[in-house]
Amino acid sequence: MALATVAAALLAALGGTLWLAARRFSGPRGQRMQGSRDRSAMHGKTVLITGANSGLGRATAAELLRLGARVIMGCRDRSRAEEAAGQLLQELGQAGGQEPNASEGQLIVKELDLASLRSVRAFCQELLQEEPRLDVLINNAGVFQCPYMKTEDGFEMQFGVNHLGHFLLTNLLLGLLKSSAPSRIVVVSSKLYKYGDINFEDLNSEQSYNKSFCYSRSKLANILFTKELARRLEGSNVTVNVLHPGIVRTNLGRHIHIPLLARPLFNLVSWAFFKTPLEGAQTSIYLASSPEVEGVSGRYFGDCKEEELLPKAMDESVARKLWDISEVMIVVILVQKSPSPKSQSAYGPQERASKWNWVVAHLLMDNSVTPLEFALWAWPCVFGFTILGPRPCPQRALPGQLCLCAPLGVSACPPETLKGNKA
Ligand SMILES: NC(=O)C1=CN([C@@H]2O[C@H](COP(=O)(O)OP(=O)(O)OC[C@H]3O[C@@H](n4cnc5c(N)ncnc54)[C@H](OP(=O)(O)O)[C@@H]3O)[C@@H](O)[C@H]2O)C=CC1
Ligand SMILES: CC1=C(/C=C/C(C)=C\C=C\C(C)=C\C=O)C(C)(C)CCC1
């Protein structure tokens, strides 16, 4: 009897494995591969890929390199990136029957930590000095469902890396992309955007943190960012599109804890059902290199085809507001400040409870003010704020001017506004 049970269990396990293996090799996960195209399709083009040392970024880099591109790998860990670059060149050499480095494509490793605005700025400064052109920017790097952590600048990690770091990166490189036009920006989002919301009152998850919601919110932010950027880039010959890659077997799940004993099963299931990185990277490669999407902008793709978005990912006013807030966050952000006794008196109980210690600012007006213009008066404004403490927000007090407002109505405004508002 016992023998029969063991035999049945073994048979079931074998059958299950065979079924999974059959799925692995027959499933329709692999949409058409972009890799069969002309080997010099990207010759003369410079492509920057963030997070190119692993998963989808690595596979995208390999393929674009194969197509002849000069690929810049923007990675946070130089040694991991150099190791990946060495492997890529070797694989390319082996595949092409050539010596590594002998192919037309070129691979460059540069340090870029999207969890540090200082690192993003330093990276861009170097890139702008060294690179005469940039044809494709692929915002690929990402963090998935990590425990509550903050970036160097005090942002919740998933929002900070997946959205804000890329927001700054893209804005700093826009000039070069425009001067290299026709050029492309490709944003890697996720279908999980559906479960996110842009809750402006707690963008930094100070009040509560849910790792799934925050990942989804950051991916929704990727889509809204793409929509708003496409609008701003109309007529510039720089396109921007966003994609979801499907579920792909990469290192993205590193923060998901799986009990040791269950790991083999999860590995088997992910092996059978998930896409390989090369399969998952096809839409990135397509949007970066295919002539089919020349001039196409502001669209959402999966499996190399345009897909529909939920209304919340197409809301122009939310996209604009997110842009404005992000712009101010990256310029001003670190007005790291604990409320002084004086400023505490200006808070209601709810505000005090939120322990407001940095300014989440937003543009009150829809007037477009460049970061440079903003920076010119941001510091005097912050200075005024520090002296006078938070003031009630004089909503639209000075038409055409910009005010910084904390989420709960506490404001740091241009000095004139503060003066006019003094009690
Ligand atoms: N895999 C999937 O099923 C899906 C993935 N995506 C998206 O695809 C993108 C790529 O992820 P995937 O390849 O799967 O995951 P991987 O974890 O394999 O790759 C993520 C890359 O992002 C890099 N990265 C993480 N944090 C930072 C940072 N602070 N600065 C710079 N680079 C950083 C990682 O660097 P390091 O190796 O040093 O950690 C790594 O190179 C992500 O945006 C993800 O959200 C979307 C939907 C599904
Ligand atoms: C989620 C689980 C795993 C791994 C998932 C990976 C590698 C990526 C998933 C990414 C998704 C869904 C991103 C969406 O944007 C394991 C296979 C490690 C274990 C099971 C759970």
Side-chain angles (χ1 to χ4, degrees):
M1 180 66 180
L3 201 66
T5 312
V6 171
L10 280 175
L11 264 177
L14 184 68
T17 309
L18 283 175
W19 179 71
L20 288 176
R23 261 205 68 92
R24 172 74 188 82
F25 294 110
S26 67
R29 295 160 311 151
Q31 69 282 358
R32 68 195 148 125
M33 292 279 187
Q34 299 302 309
S36 56
R37 299 188 26 232
D38 173 13
R39 273 203 69 165
S40 62
M42 292 297 283
H43 183 66
K45 305 241 185 239
T46 301
V47 181
L48 166 60
I49 308 174
T50 65
N53 61 291
S54 170
L56 293 166
R58 188 187 184 286
T60 308
E63 186 54 24
L64 294 177
L65 185 66
R66 199 181 74 81
L67 295 176
R70 174 179 165 80
V71 177
I72 302 171
M73 303 169 69
C75 303
R76 65 174 156 174
D77 185 298
R78 180 169 281 279
S79 62
R80 275 202 291 270
E82 275 169 358
E83 194 186 328
Q87 289 166 359
L88 287 180
L89 286 172
Q90 211 170 0
E91 285 163 21
L92 184 73
Q94 282 162 6
Q98 300 161 330
E99 289 300 306
N101 271 329
S103 71
E104 288 187 282
Q106 248 188 316
L107 207 47
I108 294 117
V109 169
K110 280 194 188 295
E111 264 174 64
L112 167 65
D113 184 356
L114 291 151
S116 156
L117 299 185
R118 187 183 41 82
S119 166
V120 176
R121 290 199 173 94
F123 170 89
C124 291
Q125 198 174 4
E126 198 181 298
L127 189 132
L128 292 173
Q129 272 164 10
E130 291 176 1
E131 298 295 330
R133 60 182 301 110
L134 181 61
D135 300 278
V136 185
L137 164 63
I138 306 184
N139 288 344
N140 164 83
V143 195
F144 177 64
Q145 299 194 2
C146 55
Y148 187 61
M149 289 192 250
K150 285 190 170 177
T151 66
E152 186 179 285
D153 309 281
F155 300 116
E156 183 279 310
M157 186 62 74
Q158 299 187 77
F159 188 72
V161 169
N162 300 356
H163 169 62
L164 276 178
H166 283 117
F167 178 86
L168 177 61
L169 179 80
T170 310
N171 274 289
L172 292 177
L173 298 178
L174 265 188
L176 186 58
L177 285 157
K178 283 180 185 166
S179 66
S180 314
S183 51
R184 302 178 182 195
I185 302 169
V186 177
V187 178
V188 183
S189 178
S190 162
K191 261 190 175 164
L192 294 184
Y193 85 84
K194 291 176 184 175
Y195 306 103
D197 266 312
I198 306 293
N199 53 338
F200 286 107
E201 66 290 348
D202 191 23
L203 266 189
N204 207 38
S205 309
E206 301 281 356
Q207 287 160 24
S208 67
Y209 179 67
N210 175 312
K211 61 185 183 177
S212 314
F213 170 80
C214 285
Y215 177 75
S216 295
R217 179 179 61 183
S218 73
K219 292 287 141 182
L220 174 59
N222 288 159
I223 301 175
L224 292 165
F225 163 73
T226 303
K227 289 277 178 195
E228 176 63 14
L229 183 57
R231 191 184 68 76
R232 288 170 184 247
L233 287 174
E234 263 168 34
S236 68
N237 228 348
V238 182
T239 61
V240 53
N241 291 293
V242 60
L243 68 102
H244 76 82
I247 302 184
V248 192
R249 199 177 148 84
T250 65
N251 292 321
L252 198 67
R254 73 191 77 186
H255 294 292
I256 311 284
H257 174 73
I258 301 161
L260 198 64
L261 284 177
R263 276 185 208 166
L265 181 64
F266 276 114
N267 279 335
L268 189 66
V269 169
S270 67
W271 175 75
F273 291 99
F274 290 17
K275 289 180 179 177
T276 65
L278 182 59
E279 288 166 345
Q282 291 308 303
T283 311
S284 298
I285 296 162
Y286 173 72
L287 291 175
S289 64
S290 172
E292 281 176 32
V293 280
E294 217 165 86
V296 173
S297 195
R299 309 282 173 82
Y300 172 67
F301 289 82
D303 288 340
C304 303
K305 288 188 293 287
E306 193 182 340
E307 289 189 7
E308 298 249 306
L309 282 166
L310 294 183
K312 68 174 164 186
M314 297 189 292
D315 187 325
E316 287 179 15
S317 68
V318 174
R320 207 176 288 209
K321 191 169 170 188
L322 177 67
W323 183 283
D324 290 344
I325 291 182
S326 306
E327 200 167 66
V328 176
M329 278 169 122
I330 57 167
V331 177
V332 174
I333 187 52
L334 288 183
V335 188
Q336 290 278 1
K337 186 182 186 307
S338 303
S340 64
K342 185 179 173 199
S343 65
Q344 277 198 15
S345 67
Y347 287 100
Q350 200 195 353
E351 285 94 313
R352 264 200 300 279
S354 81
K355 287 204 181 74
W356 182 69
N357 61 1
W358 54 277
V359 175
V360 175
H362 68 90
L363 294 168
L364 282 180
M365 310 298 171
D366 277 344
N367 301 36
S368 88
V369 179
T370 67
L372 184 66
E373 284 165 343
F374 179 74
L376 286 176
W377 60 258
W379 293 111
C381 149
V382 165
F383 182 61
F385 170 65
T386 309
I387 306 255
L388 296 169
R391 315 294 298 174
C393 185
Q395 298 261 341
R396 297 177 185 269
L398 291 181
Q401 275 203 297
L402 196 65
C403 294
L404 295 181
C405 289
L408 294 161
V410 190
S411 69
C413 302
E416 314 87 283
T417 317
L418 275 176
K419 247 186 268 147
N421 197 48
K422 231 170 159 178

